[in-house]
Amino acid sequence: MSICYIALGSNLEDPFAQANRAIIALQQSPQSKVIDVSPFYRSKPLGPQDQNDYLNAVIKIYTDLSPIALLDELQTIEKSQGRIRKENRWGARTLDLDILLFDNLIINSERLTIPHYHMKHREFVLYPLFDIEPQLILPDNEKLLDLVSKCAKNGLTKWHE
Ligand code: ROI
């Protein structure tokens, strides 16, 4: 059994509904168990500004899947919710599910970078992660508290629906 943290992001087609649907899909996964879900946040888009604000959250799961098998499962959920993976790397999306941390593993493969690249500088990842795991220490021994303390909120607020 591994502990994993997943970042959720959505800024298209009713983000609140997208987020809830994705959490239900994860809860129905036979090899994983949802342990905690952070509050939902509203964040300013990183990247082009001519897109909607994002709903962001972090989900903690226990899983018996390998990192790659979990990635496959997350991408299946993304696809089932209308995600089209194309070259719009910085553009709007219906649903993004990214593995942030997987136990204390460090993985740099073609498909997976864990810890998730840039997570240390993204307010919409650090603050919700801190809500559910304030004592967390990253695989490189950095304290989440220190990262949050250094990270501007950049207009991050709670999502009101
Ligand atoms: N910006 C915000 N605020 N939240 C995201 O989840 C997010 N995801 C992305 C890009 C397009 C980089 N910008 C984002 O993939």
Side-chain angles (χ1 to χ4, degrees):
M1 185 89 102
S2 298
I3 300 178
C4 176
Y5 299 90
I6 297 165
L8 180 156
S10 170
N11 77 338
L12 281 181
E13 291 169 42
D14 194 347
F16 187 72
Q18 297 289 350
N20 285 307
R21 209 175 301 149
I23 291 160
I24 290 167
L26 277 171
Q27 282 167 340
Q28 288 170 347
S29 158
Q31 287 106 330
S32 303
K33 185 173 166 53
V34 174
I35 300 300
D36 211 348
V37 180
S38 76
F40 291 174
Y41 283 89
R42 176 184 292 276
S43 63
K44 298 287 162 214
L46 177 69
Q49 295 299 297
D50 59 342
Q51 54 179 322
N52 300 334
D53 285 353
Y54 278 77
L55 183 155
N56 284 112
V58 171
I59 302 160
K60 176 182 182 178
I61 65 169
Y62 289 160
T63 187
D64 287 324
L65 297 171
S66 67
I68 281 289
L70 178 63
L71 177 67
D72 286 337
E73 187 168 292
L74 297 179
Q75 291 187 345
T76 300
I77 296 171
E78 287 176 345
K79 268 197 213 131
S80 77
Q81 294 190 209
R83 171 78 182 271
I84 302 157
R85 247 175 214 281
K86 42 184 186 192
E87 63 281 2
N88 64 342
R89 211 176 147 215
W90 295 94
R93 61 260 336 271
T94 51
L95 180 66
D96 218 359
L97 293 171
D98 292 330
I99 300 174
L100 295 173
L101 299 167
F102 196 102
D103 290 336
N104 264 326
L105 290 182
I106 296 173
I107 300 175
N108 287 295
S109 69
E110 205 179 311
R111 286 188 68 203
L112 264 182
T113 304
I114 300 176
H116 191 266
Y117 60 101
H118 304 323
M119 70 170 279
K120 290 184 177 179
H121 309 289
R122 292 185 170 178
E123 73 285 357
F124 53 84
V125 171
L126 295 178
Y127 282 85
L129 182 58
F130 187 75
D131 285 332
I132 58 177
E133 213 68 273
Q135 310 286 349
L136 189 75
I137 296 174
L138 276 71
D140 64 3
N141 280 329
E142 232 175 324
K143 288 184 182 146
L144 179 60
L145 173 62
D146 292 339
L147 293 168
V148 170
S149 310
K150 284 185 274 183
C151 186
K153 274 198 143 177
N154 191 28
L156 188 74
T157 55
K158 292 276 164 67
W159 185 278
H160 294 289
E161 189 79 14

